[in-house]
Amino acid sequence: MDKSAATLACLEDETKVKVKLQVEFYFSDSNLPRDKFLRETVSADPEGFVDIALIITFSRLRYLLHPLGGLQQEEIIATVANILATSDSLTLSEDRRRVRRLAELRGREELDAEVEARSVYASPFPMTATIDDLKDYFSTHAKVLSIRLRRHVMSKDFKGSVFVELADPESCLQLLGKASALEYEGAKLHVLMKKDYLQSKVATRV
């Protein structure tokens, strides 16, 4: 067994899945158009590759990979490359030190409209709720592509509400159909389409 394979064995299967899903999210239609730093990094490379050494410094990846904290960076890079090699939406460079998305990135307005059409707003949630907690909760009802914790502009504290991106608009309608029965830690949830929530916020400012 080579070093990277031995290191990979140190991670739980659930963690490996989370690492792959997180990197796929970084390069997804949901995130890449909005992530100025990553988008510029992708654009700076002729083939759209990003160094895995950079990606593993992102806070979420650092958290997921903390069990490997005592290893050399090269070993961690090789381990992440082995995980990403199983992705259907990403591809590795020949030296397995860089990664990029397979599909070309479409226009921001088009992607934003698609994401909004398959996203819902939900609240209230306790301030202690994490993305993992909420993804586990909503995943019992639908396939979840991403969850965005809404935060106060200045303090960055969690507002207790989220935007949940599902697989398609139909999944949103199905979730809304059972919204009256949705509860989280004893609190009845308020759920509506993201676009309806945003429109209501605009209306209250008028």
Side-chain angles (χ1 to χ4, degrees):
M1 181 182 293
D2 62 29
K3 270 191 174 182
S4 62
T7 303
L8 189 60
C10 295
L11 291 176
E12 296 180 357
D13 289 343
E14 182 181 359
T15 302
K16 296 173 192 174
V17 171
K18 287 181 178 179
V19 168
K20 184 178 76 167
L21 291 176
Q22 186 61 36
V23 180
E24 288 178 338
F25 171 71
Y26 287 148
F27 286 90
S28 69
D29 289 348
S30 306
N31 183 70
L32 189 56
R34 299 170 177 77
D35 190 327
K36 184 174 183 291
F37 173 76
L38 186 57
R39 191 176 68 251
E40 289 178 349
T41 304
V42 168
S43 299
D45 185 89
E47 297 180 275
F49 281 107
V50 176
D51 289 342
I52 295 175
L54 173 64
I55 292 173
I56 62 176
T57 68
F58 296 173
S59 59
R60 178 68 173 160
L61 258 292
R62 288 204 313 272
Y63 170 76
L64 292 173
L65 296 170
H66 76 272
L68 308 182
L71 299 178
Q72 297 294 318
Q73 185 185 59
E74 293 301 315
E75 294 177 280
I76 298 175
I77 291 172
T79 299
V80 172
N82 282 340
I83 294 172
L84 299 183
T86 66
S87 174
D88 293 327
S89 61
L90 304 173
T91 187
L92 296 169
S93 59
E94 288 187 10
D95 62 6
R96 295 173 65 87
R97 296 180 60 83
R98 299 178 299 155
V99 63
R100 67 171 172 84
R101 60 182 274 156
L102 284 169
E104 289 188 17
L105 189 64
R106 291 174 289 143
R108 172 73 184 269
E109 288 188 9
E110 179 184 2
L111 291 176
D112 280 353
E114 289 183 5
V115 171
E116 185 172 287
R118 59 174 181 257
S119 298
V120 299
Y121 163 90
S123 70
F125 298 98
M127 301 301 104
T128 54
T130 67
I131 288 179
D132 284 340
D133 293 336
L134 298 177
K135 188 166 187 179
D136 288 344
Y137 172 78
F138 282 104
S139 292
T140 63
H141 300 286
K143 180 179 178 180
V144 176
L145 298 185
S146 71
I147 290 187
R148 295 183 182 276
L149 304 184
R150 301 184 65 247
R151 298 185 182 277
H152 293 284
V153 175
M154 298 301 293
S155 68
K156 303 302 181 185
D157 291 337
F158 178 37
K159 289 184 173 183
S161 59
V162 297
F163 290 132
V164 185
E165 182 188 354
L166 303 180
D168 48 51
E170 291 73 22
S171 297
C172 293
L173 294 177
Q174 290 173 10
L175 184 66
L176 291 173
K178 52 186 176 183
S180 60
L182 295 179
E183 291 188 1
Y184 188 87
E185 294 189 359
K188 183 176 175 57
L189 295 183
H190 177 53
V191 183
L192 66 162
M193 291 298 297
K194 178 181 178 180
K195 61 182 179 181
D196 293 336
Y197 169 77
L198 294 177
Q199 287 173 358
S200 70
K201 295 295 287 185
V202 171
T204 60
R205 296 193 190 106
V206 176

